[in-house]
Amino acid sequence: MKIIYRSRILFLLCTIIPFASFSQAFSDTAILIEKIFSRYTPQNPGCQLSISRNDEVIFSRAWGNADLENNVPLTTRSIIEAGSVSKQFTAAAILLLEQQGKLSVNDDVRKFIPELPNYGIVIRIKHLIHHTSGLKDWGSIAQMTGWARGTKAYRNEDALEIVARQKTLNNVPGAEFLYSNSNYNLLAIIVQRASGMSLAAFTREYIFIPAGMTQTQWRDNYKRIVPNRSIAYVKVDSGYEADMPNEYVYGNGGLLTTTEDLLKWNAWHFSGKFGNPSLLQKQTAVDTFNNKLINYYGAGLFIQSVGGIKVIRHTGATGSYRCYLGYYPELKLSIAWLSNTSQFDTSKYNVVGEVEKLFFRKKAPLLSKKDEPQTVPLEKIKVYSGRYRNERTANVIQLEIKDGQLFIDNRMPLKPVGVNVFKVQNDLLSFDKPDAFCWGNEDQDTVRYIRVEPADVSAATIGAYTGKYFSDETQSGLTVAQQNGTLLVQVNSYTSYDLKPIYKDAFRIVDADGVITFERNEKSKIVKMKISVSRARNVEFMKMD
């Protein structure tokens, strides 16, 4: 098993601290890293971690098992899938094609993908790049049919076919950030149509080979034999089960790589070697919404801050593969992490976050006057108690008083910073009247919530919702049925979800992160329903009986 604690970078720092003291300090850091990653044991799935500073690898290590059936140790050369960390490579290909004069990010997407409907407003390539297109996530729609990702060997062409059936958009292009894999599947298709080369061939020639990423390729054919590929595993009661992305779709994900190769990409790109002139500035530039507020998603990269330290990063998850790649420009530090298990998704102990703490101390946030808590009489806060509907997603949250303080869903406290303004985590929640508020950041996007009355679903009225429904957008049907006085939606013979009433003609899909809203005609008869999940809003199903 290869472990790297490279010290040749140390001479770059000798003007700041003595060589011996830094060497000893980093040796101590390496011991702490080993402790952080001790949960990855040799007999179970594991991970890789590689760290570089000033483009020199100073730590590279692997823990755990790559193949439980054959008891193959996971090494730094084991191939692991990078999930959505892949998106930055798809975006980079688009930016290079623009530099080559083969497209413009301001082009109408339909110039290259005429299969898409004309929604009456132009969707530009830049909207795909920055997740502001409004195109619904094809995987979310596929799940509504009972054939979720992983149950079929979907291709990018299938993704396009699903997207092209949608009659509406999630949002006006450019109006808001809404993450959708459809954007990057379509970008992969645009690369092929604009260059005459597949995304896999284009990135191999213009990125992987020049950057020295010798272990990297795309999972454009999941059946292809890939030497040293690790298997992805999900933890179950009896142990582990394989959880592989058996699909052809790629561009949104599908990069097969190692943490050391990801560091090579960071070193090559952040030193300005990609494109001529360098395309780094375009890839890491923040976007703006139509209202001129900031969208901190660049070209396949989040431009963010961790404890006051700037970081350019992305995470990834496909099947049970997990990934993180971050670059901290002030520190000239890169951290790459890949794992072949989703076992620790719900753990409060984030290994990457713990590694960050070893390299920098997070700065305390600067407080402005508007952040200073105020004492507001309880009777003035009580008026805000109630149930509120998100105008975009149709979901609801509950505001209620507990121990003399206002809480969201009984778990997130609201700190008064004014009579009608509250601070919640890093956002502000501002009431413009007692039955409506906006939640968000004044420099970024905000979402409006409207008060609604709780649903009153009696045994006499619940039957109005039952029946069969069909969607042209999903090319599938659903059945709403009554069981023991409650409703459920049946996707197929073995998949159904309970429905919980949340307000008039609206139900939460229990265990599925979604909302169903029913619509009535002028005679108050139910004629259709719309399903909204986090990445696909208002998918329409017409009532058939």
Side-chain angles (χ1 to χ4, degrees), residues 297-527:
Y297 193 88
L301 290 164
F302 287 99
I303 317 301
Q304 297 174 319
S305 174
V306 177
I309 302 294
K310 183 179 179 180
V311 58
I312 301 166
R313 63 181 177 180
H314 214 294
T315 59
T318 309
S320 279
Y321 290 117
R322 298 293 182 265
C323 183
Y324 175 89
L325 179 62
Y327 180 68
Y328 308 77
E330 298 165 47
L331 309 174
K332 298 190 181 303
L333 175 74
S334 286
I335 298 175
W337 171 78
L338 283 162
S339 176
N340 67 329
T341 181
S342 57
Q343 177 179 357
F344 302 107
D345 281 3
T346 58
S347 173
K348 294 181 180 179
Y349 188 76
N350 181 289
V351 289
V352 172
E354 293 301 311
V355 170
E356 286 177 335
K357 293 177 184 177
L358 300 179
F359 286 89
F360 61 88
R361 181 176 297 172
K362 296 180 180 180
K363 303 174 186 176
L366 297 175
L367 297 179
S368 64
K369 288 187 177 181
K370 68 182 180 183
D371 294 319
E372 295 176 2
Q374 296 187 17
T375 301
V376 180
L378 183 59
E379 60 270 17
K380 290 190 176 183
I381 296 178
K382 282 183 177 179
V383 299
Y384 300 129
S385 296
R387 185 168 295 195
Y388 295 81
R389 175 177 60 86
N390 183 316
E391 284 196 328
R392 295 178 181 175
T393 67
N395 218 325
V396 295
I397 61 174
Q398 182 80 28
L399 300 188
E400 53 194 337
I401 300 292
K402 184 177 72 171
D403 299 328
Q405 189 174 4
L406 196 61
F407 278 76
I408 296 176
D409 293 336
N410 204 31
R411 58 185 176 84
M412 296 174 64
L414 297 178
K415 181 177 67 175
V417 292
V419 175
N420 62 338
V421 181
F422 300 82
K423 189 169 179 63
V424 51
Q425 295 179 339
N426 295 320
D427 293 333
L428 290 178
L429 192 152
S430 305
F431 283 87
D432 51 9
K433 47 187 176 180
D435 60 355
F437 64 83
C438 289
W439 183 359
N441 185 305
E442 63 182 11
D443 297 324
Q444 301 173 41
D445 193 20
T446 57
V447 181
R448 189 167 174 79
Y449 287 77
I450 304 295
R451 189 192 296 268
V452 291
E453 294 300 322
D456 180 18
V457 183
S458 65
T461 61
I462 199 170
Y465 302 107
T466 62
K468 295 184 182 297
Y469 295 77
F470 185 82
S471 173
D472 290 330
E473 295 178 295
T474 67
Q475 287 293 295
S476 66
L478 299 172
T479 299
V480 177
Q482 191 174 172
Q483 187 177 74
N484 300 324
T486 61
L487 290 178
L488 59 83
V489 59
Q490 192 159 354
V491 180
N492 50 40
S493 60
Y494 51 85
T495 305
S496 63
Y497 300 95
D498 291 334
L499 299 181
K500 179 181 179 180
I502 51 177
Y503 53 90
K504 181 176 172 59
D505 290 337
F507 297 78
R508 178 177 290 120
I509 308 172
V510 179
D511 298 326
D513 184 32
V515 173
I516 291 179
T517 54
F518 292 90
E519 294 189 8
R520 300 174 183 268
N521 62 12
E522 63 280 359
K523 297 181 180 179
S524 198
K525 181 181 179 181
I526 302 292
V527 292

Side-chain angles (χ1 to χ4, degrees), residues 152-400:
K152 280 186 178 182
Y154 288 104
R155 301 173 182 269
N156 280 348
E157 293 79 7
D158 298 315
L160 171 56
E161 183 180 341
I162 293 171
V163 173
R165 286 201 301 261
Q166 304 312 300
K167 300 175 183 178
T168 60
L169 297 170
N170 281 331
N171 53 267
V172 173
E176 65 174 286
F177 171 88
L178 185 54
Y179 197 90
S180 172
N181 283 305
S182 300
N183 294 319
Y184 277 76
N185 295 116
L186 297 192
L187 286 173
I189 293 173
I190 290 173
V191 169
Q192 183 165 355
R193 293 181 180 181
S195 70
M197 302 168 67
S198 69
L199 174 65
F202 188 87
T203 49
R204 182 171 59 251
E205 179 174 337
Y206 292 103
I207 297 178
F208 303 155
I209 292 175
M213 300 171 68
T214 57
Q215 304 300 309
T216 300
Q217 60 182 289
W218 290 95
R219 190 242 317 117
D220 52 333
N221 177 5
Y222 75 93
K223 295 181 180 180
R224 184 170 59 242
I225 301 299
V226 178
N228 298 324
R229 175 158 45 185
S230 64
I231 307 301
Y233 296 98
V234 60
K235 187 74 170 67
V236 296
D237 291 342
S238 58
Y240 293 93
E241 290 182 350
D243 183 20
M244 297 288 288
N246 295 322
E247 56 186 18
Y248 296 98
V249 289
Y250 78 112
N252 62 314
L255 192 76
L256 305 177
T257 189
T258 67
T259 51
E260 291 187 1
D261 262 18
L262 290 176
L263 291 189
K264 290 178 182 178
W265 160 246
N266 268 11
W268 189 63
H269 196 7
F270 286 99
S271 61
K273 295 177 182 177
F274 175 59
N276 186 21
S278 171
L279 290 165
L280 177 63
Q281 185 175 356
K282 282 197 170 185
Q283 181 132 32
T284 58
V286 295
D287 188 31
T288 55
F289 299 116
N290 297 340
N291 59 8
K292 306 306 180 185
L293 295 179
I294 300 173
N295 171 16
Y296 285 97
Y297 193 88
L301 290 164
F302 287 99
I303 317 301
Q304 297 174 319
S305 174
V306 177
I309 302 294
K310 183 179 179 180
V311 58
I312 301 166
R313 63 181 177 180
H314 214 294
T315 59
T318 309
S320 279
Y321 290 117
R322 298 293 182 265
C323 183
Y324 175 89
L325 179 62
Y327 180 68
Y328 308 77
E330 298 165 47
L331 309 174
K332 298 190 181 303
L333 175 74
S334 286
I335 298 175
W337 171 78
L338 283 162
S339 176
N340 67 329
T341 181
S342 57
Q343 177 179 357
F344 302 107
D345 281 3
T346 58
S347 173
K348 294 181 180 179
Y349 188 76
N350 181 289
V351 289
V352 172
E354 293 301 311
V355 170
E356 286 177 335
K357 293 177 184 177
L358 300 179
F359 286 89
F360 61 88
R361 181 176 297 172
K362 296 180 180 180
K363 303 174 186 176
L366 297 175
L367 297 179
S368 64
K369 288 187 177 181
K370 68 182 180 183
D371 294 319
E372 295 176 2
Q374 296 187 17
T375 301
V376 180
L378 183 59
E379 60 270 17
K380 290 190 176 183
I381 296 178
K382 282 183 177 179
V383 299
Y384 300 129
S385 296
R387 185 168 295 195
Y388 295 81
R389 175 177 60 86
N390 183 316
E391 284 196 328
R392 295 178 181 175
T393 67
N395 218 325
V396 295
I397 61 174
Q398 182 80 28
L399 300 188
E400 53 194 337

